[in-house]
Amino acid sequence: MFGLELRDLTKAYGDQLAADQVSLSIPHGAFVCFLGPSGCGKTTVLRMIAGLETPTSGSILLNGKEITDQPANARRFGMVFQSLALFPHLSVGENIAFALRLRGEDPRRRKERVDELLELVRLPGLQSRAISQLSGGQRQRVAIARALAQEPPVFLLDEPFSALDAKLREEMQNELRTLQQRLKITTILVTHDQREAMTMADTIVVMGEGQIQQHGPPVDIYRRPVNRFVADFIGASNLLAVEVLDGHTVRYGAIPLRVAAACGPGGAAATLAIRPEDIILSRTAGGGANEVAGVISLVRDMGAYVEYRIDCQGQDILGVSTPRDWIGAAVGEIAHIRLPVESCQVLGR
Amino acid sequence: MTAAGVSIASTASGHGRMRDRWVLAGLLTGPGLYIAIMAIVPAFLMVQLSLAHREVGGLWSPGFELTQYRQLATPLFARIMGFSLLLALTGAAICVSLAFPAAYFITRMRRRAQVAWLVFLLGSLSLSEVLIVFAFQVLLSTSGTLASALNAVGLLAPGASLYPNFPAVLTCLVYLLLPYVILFFYPALSQLDPEMEQAAATMGASRVSTFVKVVLPMMRGQILTGVLLVVIFTFGAYLTPLVLGRPPQWTIAIHINNAAMGAGNLPLAAAYAVAVVAFMVALLALTRILSQRKAVEA
């Protein structure tokens, strides 16, 4: 296969499994985000890919060739660290040329490559600037340029934007995505920021408890989470405890709800997931399917949208509405929510 | 916040700053006075004594003459200073070359192993210098363990001793200073971000080239200070060269003592001491200029 392949990659620290049988194929030129909460094993997997950690078992293949036992300095995957790890005793140009110098490139070629990379990251003319004289965003760009200098087969980034303020982070995310699309380099980014993953990646790999919970295009992950963990971690979800009645019907309390996809054998306990923006709120009962009555318990006007909570049979259900569609309900009012059949997804418990 | 609010807040923070200054001044008064009384006053007296007139019988009378300083322009004094500097620089080179990698590897060990090493190093410092120097004398003497072992394998002539000589003085001084220098490098190296070395590895650097091209240059300031630390300690060494060396291996500290106590020439001893202090100040100034130039270049 042309690209990177992880086969049953496992890393154990004593009896603690940091990564548990992680298997994944990353095609050449793809942008993949490893997404998950702290301690889920995403950085461990990235470090094993870079060669900075030795897997306990499993293998890593690059373009079909096994590289599991290759040390980091033989793999030469470009990596941007969380701390950026720019060398303070070297200038911007010397930092970028570090790998080229080790490789014995002649000074003229090195200079050309440094100039080219500084153009690429929009920092022309900063070759001789000290690292301490750069702003946070400039350091970020220098770290990216340095990692790309050796034209690595795989480009790895370990939460590189976590220390930046929101505006600069978004700017850097856009720049990185544009750069990756231009260079068509296989890129793996580790983040716990789902917005970052959703806006940048071709493929999101959701990790939890050392395992891949789900991987696929961002929209698929958002619209069709395969389990409770993914539904809960990606965006906001209402997770309702239900009982399966038949193939396409579940029971929430005493109310039968229809769902689009088949949901397993009757009598089984399951979780129904529905996104807040899919819920339709009205003052009056429409009499259709999947309608539940409840009492409004919270209303928050966030400007761009209105967030509300409605108490249905003892469970708070979260909904959001656009300001244009907001019905103007107040706390304490009885209202009706409709859960569209196509938006109701049943997950195993 | 209103304008009045801002004004009250700034006045409050102004009072806070003033109080902090007074607290700081109070805290610095004690150490400041101590240094002034115990270092500056004796230094002043030393300069005064070096310019005094020497009387017979180890006495002196106040005056302003440069007689003793003229003796500093002799080949003998140049030789003594030259040897002291050679010993200090050689000792510093050996100590730093051994201590820096040792401290580096200790910081890369597991926490428990690091603690064990630190306890061991601190424990070795609890031994008195006198005890160590005389232990070295026994070890290196004709009947000592080391000499006997070398004798047994034919590397040392029968009845020969491994002291007094320059290597004996140097070996003992390195032994005395090595734990201090390792402990001096330890905090800086343990704070070195491991991602720096990992970044170098991802760019193709081996462990050796990472150490040489990343770790060493990043620690240049600490290494320079470590060298200075050993030079200053070694320059003033007294007991080790006295016990384990011959007169040609005696440092300036021994000659100062001989001038004062042996020859009874206190003004000459004071002139020697002033010259040593001036030399050390010049060395520190030179190091500072060099490190500042490097920083500007960077």
Side-chain angles (χ1 to χ4, degrees), chain A residues 12 15 21 23 82 91 102 120-121 127 136 138 145 154 190 218 235 247 251 258 272 274 304 328-329 346:
Chain A
D15 52 4
Q21 301 211 306
S23 293
Q82 198 168 1
S91 66
L102 282 173
L120 193 74
V121 295
Q127 289 85 336
Q138 286 174 326
V154 180
V190 159
R251 189 168 62 196
R258 288 198 56 76
L272 185 140
I274 183 161
V346 175

Side-chain angles (χ1 to χ4, degrees), chain B residues 88-89 92 177 225-237 276 280-281 283-284:
Chain B
L89 290 176
L177 292 171
T225 315
V227 167
L228 269 178
L229 192 79
V230 182
V231 166
I232 290 167
F233 269 111
T234 315
F235 219 83
V276 171
M280 284 299 163
V281 169
L283 196 68
L284 286 170

Side-chain angles (χ1 to χ4, degrees), chain B residues 28-276:
Chain B
L28 286 175
T29 306
L33 276 173
Y34 187 79
I35 291 169
I37 294 165
M38 306 307 284
I40 297 172
V41 174
F44 174 75
L45 291 175
M46 192 174 65
V47 173
Q48 193 188 28
L49 183 59
S50 71
L51 297 167
H53 178 71
R54 186 193 175 195
E55 303 281 357
V56 284
L59 300 172
W60 57 279
S61 57
F64 190 88
E65 57 186 58
L66 298 172
T67 320
Q68 308 307 332
Y69 282 98
R70 281 193 202 102
Q71 294 201 44
L72 302 186
T74 59
L76 175 70
F77 182 72
R79 198 194 58 73
I80 296 167
M81 284 295 273
F83 174 75
S84 298
L85 189 62
L86 171 78
L87 181 68
L89 290 176
T90 317
I94 297 173
C95 267
V96 170
S97 320
L98 293 175
F100 191 83
Y104 175 77
F105 285 114
I106 291 172
T107 59
R108 265 56 192 163
M109 288 174 179
R110 286 171 190 273
R111 199 79 201 152
R112 199 174 283 182
Q114 286 189 34
V115 172
W117 267 100
L118 293 178
V119 168
F120 170 67
L121 290 168
L122 286 167
S124 74
L125 292 180
S126 65
L127 295 172
S128 133
E129 186 189 349
V130 178
L131 196 77
I132 292 168
V133 173
F134 284 107
F136 260 75
Q137 194 184 30
V138 172
L139 185 76
L140 302 175
S141 66
T142 317
S143 55
T145 325
L146 197 59
S148 305
L150 291 174
N151 200 334
V153 293
L155 286 172
L156 195 69
S161 166
L162 289 167
Y163 92 99
N165 54 32
F166 180 71
V169 174
L170 192 63
T171 311
C172 187
L173 280 173
V174 168
Y175 174 80
L176 283 167
L177 292 171
L178 197 60
Y180 286 105
V181 188
I182 295 175
L183 290 170
F184 170 77
F185 285 135
Y186 178 80
L189 280 167
S190 60
Q191 279 168 23
L192 185 72
D193 182 0
E195 289 193 344
M196 293 284 180
E197 292 164 73
Q198 290 165 3
T202 61
M203 286 185 277
S206 64
R207 289 196 76 175
V208 174
S209 53
T210 301
F211 185 77
V212 173
K213 291 186 167 118
V214 177
V215 179
L216 278 179
M218 278 177 69
M219 291 287 139
R220 195 182 53 217
Q222 277 79 7
I223 292 171
L224 206 59
T225 315
V227 167
L228 269 178
L229 192 79
V230 182
V231 166
I232 290 167
F233 269 111
T234 315
F235 219 83
Y238 178 80
L239 188 63
T240 309
L242 187 69
V243 175
L244 299 174
R246 290 176 196 279
Q249 285 108 38
W250 284 358
T251 51
I252 186 72
I254 299 172
H255 288 281
I256 291 173
N257 182 64
N258 287 351
M261 302 302 176
N265 190 349
L266 281 173
L268 178 63
Y272 276 170
V274 169
V276 171

